[in-house]
Amino acid sequence: CMTRAEDFEAETKSRGEELQAIAKAKEVITDNVGSAEDLSYGLNQVSFLQSASATGSGITTHAALAQFEVVRLVRDLARKQNAPGLAQLASRMRLAFNSGAGGDVFAKVKGLIQDMLEKLEAEANADAKETAFCNTELAETNAKKENKEAEIQKLSTQIDQMSARSAQLKEEVAALQHSLAEL
């Protein structure tokens, strides 16, 4: 249980960092895209990033840049934390962004992030329950141990008292036998 408690503390810290990264990814998506899905882009709205698409960068819009940054942020955190769950989330996000075939891609990514958050919260709850169980069991075990040690101390004291009384009675018997022998 002690190692489990230490593991729980480390997992809680790691999970907190994962949650912060996911929140940051959500914030980046919301800030950079906002309500971009409602806008229509005509041919007269060409930006510098869109004209750079001929070079093969693959980033043709502000939304694509935001998508790339979000995926990179989550992927880098996954590497830093050595978290396969975050790496899988980054991969799913990249696939969702790349597929982009209809529908709100950001809604899909938000759904993936929400699923990841729910999974992390469920794991945290399970870990908290297990830690609470271990703490309860450890407290009960310590209480029982203290009771048994107190009982051992009490019995040892009784043994010492009875041994002393036995020695005293043996001395008295020896003295009485000596007195009887003299009579």
Side-chain angles (χ1 to χ4, degrees), residues 1-161:
C1 276
M2 293 304 291
T3 57
R4 181 69 187 134
E6 293 169 1
D7 291 345
F8 176 74
E9 292 297 324
E11 289 173 6
T12 301
K13 180 180 177 187
S14 175
R15 191 173 292 112
E17 292 171 354
E18 289 176 6
L19 289 172
Q20 287 176 349
I22 291 172
K24 177 71 174 168
K26 259 180 129 170
E27 180 182 324
V28 168
I29 289 172
T30 304
D31 290 347
N32 288 332
V33 177
S35 61
E37 66 269 3
D38 296 336
L39 300 176
S40 62
Y41 297 99
L43 293 176
N44 60 348
Q45 297 175 337
V46 177
S47 71
F48 176 72
L49 286 175
Q50 291 170 327
S51 64
S53 66
T55 64
S57 68
I59 299 176
T60 58
T61 64
H62 181 68
L65 178 62
Q67 293 169 355
F68 174 78
E69 286 297 319
V70 168
V71 171
R72 184 188 58 77
L73 177 78
V74 174
R75 187 184 60 232
D76 289 348
L77 182 69
R79 285 185 185 144
K80 179 182 172 187
Q81 296 295 321
N82 194 22
L86 282 177
Q88 185 179 24
L89 176 65
S91 176
R92 286 182 179 176
M93 288 169 62
R94 185 179 46 80
L95 289 173
F97 287 139
N98 288 343
S99 70
D104 184 8
V105 176
F106 288 102
K108 291 178 187 176
V109 171
K110 289 176 186 176
L112 290 172
I113 291 172
Q114 187 62 35
D115 292 344
M116 180 73 168
L117 287 171
E118 290 170 2
K119 179 182 174 190
L120 288 172
E121 288 173 356
E123 288 176 2
N125 287 339
D127 286 347
K129 285 179 184 177
E130 187 173 343
T131 300
F133 173 77
C134 282
N135 290 341
T136 302
E137 290 296 313
L138 192 58
E140 288 177 7
T141 301
N142 287 338
K144 287 179 184 177
K145 181 181 174 187
E146 289 173 5
N147 288 340
K148 295 297 180 184
E149 287 174 349
E151 187 177 339
I152 288 171
Q153 184 65 32
K154 179 181 170 185
L155 292 174
S156 295
T157 303
Q158 286 179 352
I159 289 171
D160 290 343
Q161 288 174 348

